[in-house]
C-alpha cells in the first residue's frame, strides 16, 4: 500500500522538514536523507535566497510540498493568484504529491494563518471535497489532506472527525496525510480513543504520515512541534503502519529546532516500527498461506 | 441558540462568526475579552458554538485560538520590524501592532506581506507613534523594502551590448523589482543596522549567561538625527544590502523607474553632473544587476 495513486505511486521512506537553521549543514555536508518536505508558502516568492536554496536542494534531494494556506474547508473559492504561484512551484519541485490541511482559516479574503477545525457536517464535507477536486485539477498533482490538531469541538458537528475525514476524501477521491501526533493530541483534548480514529479511516487512501512532538499543559495538549516524538505517538504510528502498510513518513520539528543530526536521528526511530510492521505483515501472510 | 453549519450559507455564517471571535483583540493581560461586540457575556456567545468538556469551558477553548492568533501575527510583525520596535519601545510597538493588525488583517496567504500597509497606517493614525511619527514612517518603509529585497522576483539584466546598440532617446530601462529607492529625512539605514548589531550582541550575551563573568551592559541605539539620505535597498548574490546614493544618481534611477527614456533620465540629474560620473554610475548599476528590460 505504500505506493498508491495518492502519493504519485512513489515509495518514499523517512523524511524531515526542510528548515532554515539546517540550510548550511545540508548544503555543506550533504547528509543522506530520503526526502525533504518543504512548506510551499515559504517558496512561493519571486526569487532571492529561498528559491536559490530550494534549487540547490532539488539538485540533490527529493522534495515534497506541504502547504498551510489552501484552506480546503473555507467556503470561498481558491484564490487564482495563489494557485498560479503554487503551480509554478509544483513545476519547479516536481513534487509527486502535495498536501495541505483539512481545516479552514480564511474568510472574505482575510487570513487567520491558523488551522481552524471544521464543523463536521455533511454540507462542510461536500464543499470541502469540491474545493480539493478543484485544486487537484488546477495543479495536476495528487492531493493528500492532513487531519489537524484541535482544541475545540463544535455543537454544529454531525459526525466524528474520522467520519468527516473519510467522507471528504471519498467524495474528493484524494489521499490522506495521516498525522498520528495530531490524532493523539485531539484524542486527549476531546476524550476519544485514537485507535478508533485510526481504525475508522480508509487505509488505502493514506499516502503519507506525519509524526511530531507536542506539549502537555494542565488541561490540554498543544501541537507545538518542539519536542521529540512521545511514546504514545510512536505506538499509534506503529498501529497505523500495521494498518496502512509502510508509508512515506515525515518528522515535523518547527520550534526550538535542534541540530540537523538530532532531528534526523529522531525521524529515523520510525524504522524500528516499520520493521515491526513488516515482520507482522509477513507473519500474517505466512499464516494465511498455511491455511 | 446553537449555530448551525448544515448548508453552504450556514457554513459561511459559522466561519464568519468564529473568525470574528478568534481575531478579536485581546484584553489586557493577553486574555480573551469578557464581552462580545454587542455587550453579551463572551462566555454565553462561545457556548453557542463550542462544546465545553470536563476541563475547559467553551470560553477557555475559544480563548486558546484567540490568543494563538494574536501571538502568531504579532510575533511575525515583531520579527520583520526590529528597527521600529527599537525606535518606539516594546510597549508602544505592541499597541501599534494590535491597532494596525485590527485595521489591516492579513489579506495574503503568506505572513510575509503582513507589514505591507504599515507605513500608510502610521501616516493615517499618527497617535500610535507620536512624537516619533516621521521617523516611524521612514523605518516602516525601510523595513518593508528589506522584505521586498529578500525574495521579490528578478528580471533579466541588461548588458553593455544592449546600451551600445540602443538609441538613448528611445531606450527605456527597467529597475529590478527587488530594488527599492528611498529618500529619507533620517539615516534609517545606519540606525537599523546598528539595532541589528545590538540585537545580535544581546543574543550572544544571553547565550553566555552560564559564564561566571557578568554579561556586558549593552546600550540602546541612539535615535538618528535628521539628515537627508538617498538609499537603495537591494540584494546581491541573494544577500541584502543598503547602498547610499548621491542625489543626482537617485534622480536618474527614479526617472528610469517611472519610464523615462535614457536621455531624459540622465537629464533629470540636473546640471553639475559630468558624463564621466554618469558613466561610472551606469557601470556600477549594471554590475550590481539593477538595470533590466522593461516588462
Amino acid at each position: 500500500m505504500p505506493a498508491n495513486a495518492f502519493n504519485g505511486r512513489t515509495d518514499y521512506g523517512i523524511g524531515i522538514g526542510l528548515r532554515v537553521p539546517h540550510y548550511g549543514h545540508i548544503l555543506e555536508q550533504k547528509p543522506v536523507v530520503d526526502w525533504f518536505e518543504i512548506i510551499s508558502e515559504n517558496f512561493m516568492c519571486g526569487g532571492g535566497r529561498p528559491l536559490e536554496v530550494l534549487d540547490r536542494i532539488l539538485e540533490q534531494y527529493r522534495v515534497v510540498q506541504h502547504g498551510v494556506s489552501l484552506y480546503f474547508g473555507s467556503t470561498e473559492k481558491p484564490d487564482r493568484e495563489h494557485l498560479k504561484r503554487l503551480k509554478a512551484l509544483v513545476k519547479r519541485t516536481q513534487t509527486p504529491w502535495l498536501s495541505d490541511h483539512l481545516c479552514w482559516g480564511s474568510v472574505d479574503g482575510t487570513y487567520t494563518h491558523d488551522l481552524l477545525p471544521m464543523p463536521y457536517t455533511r454540507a462542510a464535507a461536500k464543499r470541502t471535497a469540491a474545493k480539493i477536486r478543484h485544486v487537484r485539477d488546477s495543479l495536476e498533482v495528487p492531493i493528500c489532506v492532513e487531519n489537524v490538531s484541535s482544541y475545540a469541538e463544535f455543537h454544529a458537528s454531525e459526525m466524528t472527525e474520522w467520519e468527516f475525514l473519510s467522507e471528504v476524501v471519498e467524495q474528493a477521491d484524494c489521499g490522506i496525510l495521516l498525522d498520528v501526533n495530531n490524532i493523539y493530541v485531539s484524542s486527549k483534548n476531546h476524550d476519544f480513543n485514537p485507535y478508533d480514529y485510526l481504525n475508522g479511516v480508509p487505509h488505502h487512501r493514506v499516502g503519507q504520515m506525519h509524526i511530531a512532538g507536542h506539549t502537555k499543559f494542565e488541561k490540554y495538549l498543544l501541537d507545538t512541534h518542539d519536542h521529540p516524538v512521545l511514546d504514545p505517538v510512536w505506538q499509534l504510528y506503529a498501529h497505523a503502519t500495521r494498518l496502512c502498510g509502510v508509508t512515506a513518513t515525515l518528522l515535523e520539528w518547527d520550534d526550538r529546532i535542534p541540530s540537523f543530526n538530532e532531528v534526523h536521528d529522531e525521524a529515523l526511530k520510525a524504522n524500528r516500527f516499520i520493521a515491526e510492521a513488516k515482520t507482522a505483515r509477513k507473519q500474517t501472510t505466512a499464516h494465511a498461506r498455511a491455511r | 441558540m446553537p449555530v448551525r453549519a448544515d448548508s453552504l450559507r450556514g457554513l459561511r455564517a459559522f466561519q464568519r462568526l468564529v473568525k470574528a471571535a478568534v481575531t478579536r483583540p485581546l484584553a489586557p493581560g493577553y486574555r480573551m475579552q469578557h464581552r462580545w461586540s454587542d455587550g453579551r457575556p463572551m462566555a454565553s456567545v462561545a457556548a453557542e458554538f463550542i462544546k465545553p468538556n470536563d476541563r475547559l469551558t467553551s470560553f477557555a477553548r475559544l480563548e486558546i485560538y484567540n490568543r494563538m492568533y494574536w501571538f502568531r501575527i504579532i510575533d511575525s510583525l515583531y520579527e520583520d520590524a526590529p528597527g521600529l520596535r527599537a525606535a518606539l519601545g516594546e510597549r508602544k510597538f505592541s499597541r501599534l501592532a494590535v491597532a494596525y493588525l485590527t485595521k489591516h488583517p492579513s489579506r495574503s496567504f503568506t505572513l510575509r506581506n503582513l507589514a505591507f500597509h504599515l507605513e500608510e497606517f502610521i501616516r493615517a493614525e499618527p497617535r500610535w507613534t507620536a512624537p516619533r511619527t516621521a521617523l516611524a514612517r521612514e523605518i516602516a518603509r525601510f523595513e518593508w523594502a528589506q522584505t521586498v529585497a529578500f525574495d521579490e522576483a528578478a528580471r533579466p539584466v541588461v548588458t553593455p551590448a544592449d546600451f551600445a546598440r540602443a538609441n538613448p532617446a528611445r531606450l527605456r530601462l527597467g529597475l529590478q523589482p527587488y530594488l527599492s529607492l528611498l529618500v529619507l529625512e533620517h539615516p534609517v539605514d545606519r540606525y537599523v543596522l546598528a539595532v541589528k548589531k545590538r540585537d545580535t550582541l544581546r543574543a550572544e550575551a544571553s547565550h553566555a549567561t552560564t559564564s561566571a563573568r557578568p554579561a556586558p551592559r549593552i546600550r540602546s541605539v541612539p535615535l538618528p538625527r535628521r539628515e537627508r539620505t538617498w538609499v537603495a535597498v537591494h540584494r546581491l548574490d541573494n544577500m541584502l544590502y543598503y547602498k547610499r546614493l548621491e542625489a543626482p544618481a537617485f534622480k536618474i534611477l527614479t526617472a528610469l523607474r517611472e519610464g523615462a527614456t535614457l536621455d531624459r533620465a540622465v537629464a533629470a540629474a540636473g546640471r553639475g553632473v559630468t558624463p564621466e560620473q554618469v558613466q561610472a554610475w551606469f557601470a556600477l548599476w549594471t554590475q550590481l544587476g539593477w538595470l533590466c528590460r522593461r516588462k
Side-chain angles (χ1 to χ4, degrees), chain A residues 44-50 52 69 73-75 82 104 107-114 116-117 119 121 123 127 150-151 153-156 158 188-191 219-220, chain B residues 3 5-8 11-12 14-16 18-19 23 47-51 53-56 61 64-65 68-69 72 105-111 150-153 235 238:
Chain A
M44 286 162 65
C45 53
R49 181 154 166 77
E52 181 208 3
S69 64
S74 286
T75 55
H82 187 163
W104 65 282
V107 177
D108 301 326
T110 62
Y111 288 73
T112 63
H113 299 284
D114 201 349
L116 298 171
T121 67
R127 179 64 179 175
S150 63
Y151 316 103
E153 297 166 287
F154 300 120
H155 292 299
E158 299 163 351
K188 290 293 166 194
N189 290 340
H190 309 317
D191 303 306
K219 294 180 178 176
Y220 63 98
Chain B
V3 181
D6 53 0
S7 65
L8 182 57
L11 181 62
R12 192 170 287 131
F14 175 90
Q15 292 185 345
R16 281 187 180 137
V18 178
K19 183 237 164 195
T23 60
E48 286 178 4
F49 56 96
I50 291 182
K51 290 181 189 173
N53 66 11
D54 58 356
R55 303 175 301 282
L56 294 167
R61 291 180 128 189
I64 295 171
Y65 285 101
M68 284 200 304
Y69 170 77
R72 180 178 301 108
S106 172
R107 297 193 69 81
S108 165
F109 64 87
T110 165
L111 285 165
F150 180 69
D151 64 5
E152 197 63 64
R235 68 172 184 249
N238 291 324

Side-chain angles (χ1 to χ4, degrees), chain A residues 147-204:
Chain A
N147 55 295
V148 297
S149 294
S150 63
Y151 316 103
E153 297 166 287
F154 300 120
H155 292 299
S157 290
E158 299 163 351
M159 57 186 103
T160 63
E161 184 187 336
W162 56 96
E163 287 167 342
F164 181 77
L165 171 63
S166 304
E167 179 96 14
V168 168
V169 296
E170 293 293 349
Q171 283 191 38
D173 191 18
C174 71
I176 297 173
L177 194 180
L178 195 65
D179 190 315
V180 290
N181 178 59
N182 288 350
I183 293 175
Y184 182 76
V185 168
S186 294
S187 76
K188 290 293 166 194
N189 290 340
H190 309 317
D191 303 306
F192 64 76
N193 182 342
Y195 289 88
D196 287 345
Y197 194 126
L198 283 182
N199 295 335
V201 295
H203 306 127
H204 67 286

Side-chain angles (χ1 to χ4, degrees), chain B residues 80-159:
Chain B
D80 290 344
L84 193 56
R85 266 193 288 132
L88 295 178
E90 300 293 340
R91 189 172 291 187
K92 202 162 190 173
F93 176 82
S94 233
R95 284 198 287 261
L96 168 71
V98 172
Y100 168 65
L101 293 167
T102 304
K103 186 153 187 181
H104 293 281
S106 172
R107 297 193 69 81
S108 165
F109 64 87
T110 165
L111 285 165
R112 178 258 198 204
N113 295 328
L114 209 54
F116 180 73
H117 296 286
L118 187 54
E119 192 260 345
E120 172 196 328
F121 177 78
I122 293 170
R123 177 168 45 83
E125 299 198 19
R127 67 181 184 277
W128 304 105
T129 48
R132 294 179 183 159
T133 299
L135 175 63
R137 281 182 61 190
E138 292 200 334
I139 298 175
R141 278 173 69 202
F142 185 79
E143 291 186 324
W144 175 250
Q146 291 182 84
T147 300
V148 170
F150 180 69
D151 64 5
E152 197 63 64
R155 290 218 291 268
V157 295
V158 294
T159 61

Side-chain angles (χ1 to χ4, degrees), chain A residues 155, chain B residues 32 41-51 58-60 62:
Chain A
H155 292 299
Chain B
M32 189 157 75
M42 196 61 212
S44 54
V45 174
E48 286 178 4
F49 56 96
I50 291 182
K51 290 181 189 173
S58 306
F59 180 98
L62 180 59

